[in-house]
Every structure is written in structure tokens, then in C-alpha cells.
Amino acid sequence: MTTLTWERVAVATGPGEDPETAVRQAYREAGLAEPEHVLVLPSPAAGAVAAAWLTGGDAVRRALEQAGLGAPQDRSPSEGGSPTGSPSGDGSSTGSASGSGSAAQEPGDQGVPELRRAVGEALRSWESYGDPGRSVRDAVRTVPWERARAAAYAELGPVGWAALWDETGGRLWPQVSRLVNDIRRGIADLGGEAGEAVKVGEAGEVGEVLRRATLDAVLGQHDAPWLSAFDGLDGLKRTAERTGWWWPFERLAIVTERPAELHLDDVGRLHRAVGPALAYSDGFALHAWHGMPVPADFGAAMRELTVERIREEENAELRRAMLEHFGLDRYLAESGAKPVHSDETGVLWRVDLSDDEPLVMVEVVNSTPEPDGTSRTYFLRVPPWVERAREGVAWTFGVAEEDYRPERET
């Protein structure tokens, strides 16, 4: 597979075909017995909750329950239909907690309640089998990575290895690592949003328990950067092509699906004006504006932005996103901003913003006429320490004010 193909794997959406077969192959290639059971869940958030529930002990389970996550104890598996992932006749079990059955979304129910149902159904189907066993992540993922890297380094040498990485994983890693960190943050935030920072004794808050659970995951499609650098590793590559994050234990593999929706800006950051930038079928979602986390209703509110609403926003980062969407030049015009300096190069404007640096812009007129004979006006944002229009224009060209003496402006 080419690096371009691995780029597509890293951002693929929708359920993959037969993830269980790929996971079992990864176990075999690691020299392990295949897992007795495979549970397929709709999102890495559901996977983290399930992994924490199965391995965290009674204190963690009680805290997850208190936070509205985990397997509810007030319903038997037989209520509402057969549990997802019920054992099959051949002794293996594959469950999918999304799409239909008792895990389907009900009117008015979204987000955490839906995720809780998905996890609950899957966990009830597993609990009769007991302990999932110890994590085998090191054997499945870490050891193959170390072995493949050592072999490539021995063959290519330090310079050759660096060149290989630059051409493969090094190109993919910045975007993918940002996405991984965003998902990890969103999963940790579930602890606070659902349970108002429920404590788990000395283990800390639920959010921290869930964050630690994500560190035990194999990243599936988000392992694309390092997998793109090596030959072989067929089992891991097949899981990357078909799954999201997954948790390998001795007796059980918890596998999660890829997102249902993924929206990125032109530099690969999560971004969507209205609706979630990243969404999974169980309701777990992240909202973002050019990579910055925003509230779920932020995009809809952007449609009705006013100068007053922007001024009232207490969060400086959200205010900057609002300004970007509203338009800096429009904000200057509608906010009653006053010019603080003008000369032959342009006009310097300044607007103070509460709990943030002031908005300072230089207004310039393009000396080259448009085809219709008019001259176009531009507003260029400059640092807040700029005091003169020429100083601001010079800064945009990367020179000092005294060195800015253009023969002809364009």
C-alpha cells in the first residue's frame, strides 16, 4: 500500500468488513492463541468504558455507574431482546452494539445514554464468561513495531531509516496524532460531562480512568503512520484497514468501529461549522472549529452572531473563532471602532477585547486597480503593539518600519 492509501485508511469512515477475522490474524501473528470472544462496539469511547469496566475492579464499576456509564444493573440481559454479542454455537462470540435491536437510538435519546446502552448490552453478554485475562497489547502491537523498526534500521542505517520515515509515517503522523489526541480528550471529558467529575477513590476522576484506558488500546486505523513504513505485519494492517481502536486481552478482544462522520479543514484539523466534526454511531461526537474544541451548539449559534454576542463571550478562544466567522473587517465596521493612526500607507484600527489582546488591523488599498477600474480594500491583522499604519504594513512584509520603502505597492 502506498502512503496515499494509508492516508485514506487513517481517515476512513463507516464499518469495516469482517473486523473479527483481521483481529484473530493479528493474535496468531503475535504467537498468541486467538481470543475466545470478540465484542464489537460503535466507538472508542464505548471501548474505553468497556475496558475500564472489565479491568478496573468494583470501585471503577461503581464510579462508572454513578457517572451514567457502564452496564446498568437494573435490567437483565433478556429484557429488550437478546444481548448484543451473545455466544454463538461454536463457542465464539461477536457483538455489534450499533445499528439495531435494543441498542438502537430512541427518540430524544442521544450521546451518553446511547453509548451507555451500547456498552451495557455488550458487557452483559460477556460477564457470564468471567475475567477477560491480562492485556496482550505489548505482544500484539509493541513487539511487532519494535522488531520491524529494528530490522529496517539495521538494513537502511540511520540516514536511510530517517529518509524512509520522512516519506511514510512522518508525513501522516502530525495529522493522525492530532486526531488521536482529540479523541482521547473527548473520551476523558465523558467522565466530567456524564458524572460531574465522579471520583474513583485513589484512582482519580472517571475521566482520568477512561483516559488511562485509551492508553491500552491498539489504534487500528490510526496506526496507519507506522504501519505505512514497513512490509509484513499483515494482521495489524488488516485490522487498521477495517477497525477503529481495539483492546486485546487474553480471552477477549474489544473492537470498535470507525467514525460515521469525519470533517477536517484544509490542514487536517477537526472542523465543521454546524454539527459534529467527528461522530460515531453511538452518539459519541466531537465538535470543533479549525481544531479548537467548541460546544455542541456553537455552529448553530454562529448563524446569528452579532457584535454584542461576540463581546459577551467570556472564553477568549471561542471569541476568536466567532471573530473569524463574523469577519474581522465587518466587526470593525459594526463595533464602532475608531482609527488610531493613518498615513499614506493606510489606516490603523484598534478594538479592545475583554480578557484578550486587542484587535488591531491596518486598512490598505491595493494600488493595482481591479479589471473594472475600482481599487480593492484589505484589512490585515497586525500585532497589538503596532501603533502606526506604516509600522503595521511593514510588519506584514516582515521588515522594520524604517526599512519599508516600496517603489511600487501591489
Side-chain angles (χ1 to χ4, degrees), residues 298 305 309 313 318-326:
F298 184 77
L305 276 181
R309 173 67 186 88
E313 177 55 53
L318 293 183
R319 191 189 307 120
R320 290 170 192 169
M322 290 177 174
L323 283 168
E324 179 184 341
H325 183 79
F326 192 74

Side-chain angles (χ1 to χ4, degrees), residues 137-154 161 226 230 233 236:
R137 179 183 182 276
D138 283 351
V140 169
R141 180 182 187 270
T142 306
V143 171
W145 147 251
E146 291 175 343
R147 186 182 299 122
R149 184 186 183 281
Y153 192 90
W161 160 249
W226 75 267
F230 304 116
L233 304 172
L236 286 171

Side-chain angles (χ1 to χ4, degrees), residues 11-212:
V11 298
T13 58
E17 181 181 353
D18 191 16
E20 180 178 353
T21 297
V23 166
R24 292 184 180 279
Q25 180 179 348
Y27 270 72
R28 292 194 304 271
E29 290 183 2
L32 301 172
E34 294 182 15
E36 298 173 24
H37 308 282
V38 176
L39 294 178
V40 180
L41 293 171
S43 74
V49 172
W53 177 275
L54 289 170
T55 63
D58 291 342
V60 168
R61 293 188 179 197
R62 284 194 298 269
L64 288 171
E65 273 292 300
Q66 188 178 349
L69 300 165
Q73 301 300 314
D74 56 354
R75 249 180 37 172
S76 67
S78 60
E79 291 180 46
S82 299
T84 301
S86 56
S88 62
D90 62 1
S92 65
S93 160
T94 303
S96 176
S98 64
S100 61
S102 58
Q105 191 165 354
E106 297 173 359
D109 221 358
Q110 58 184 353
V112 169
E114 172 65 11
L115 186 151
R116 182 181 190 237
R117 274 198 301 276
V119 174
E121 292 290 342
L123 291 180
R124 283 194 298 275
S125 76
W126 166 256
E127 284 187 331
S128 62
Y129 296 95
D131 187 354
R134 63 180 177 85
S135 171
V136 292
R137 179 183 182 276
D138 283 351
V140 169
R141 180 182 187 270
T142 306
V143 171
W145 147 251
E146 291 175 343
R147 186 182 299 122
R149 184 186 183 281
Y153 192 90
E155 178 182 353
L156 301 173
V159 175
W161 160 249
L164 173 64
W165 182 251
D166 285 345
E167 295 169 1
T168 55
R171 291 175 51 191
L172 303 182
W173 180 240
Q175 176 181 325
V176 174
S177 65
R178 188 164 50 228
L179 189 56
V180 168
N181 289 334
D182 287 341
I183 294 172
R184 188 165 281 145
R185 170 192 52 77
I187 293 173
D189 286 348
L190 283 176
E193 293 174 3
E196 298 181 353
V198 174
K199 297 284 186 178
V200 190
E202 296 181 358
E205 298 177 354
V206 168
E208 176 59 19
V209 170
L210 295 178
R211 188 195 70 82
R212 288 200 300 269

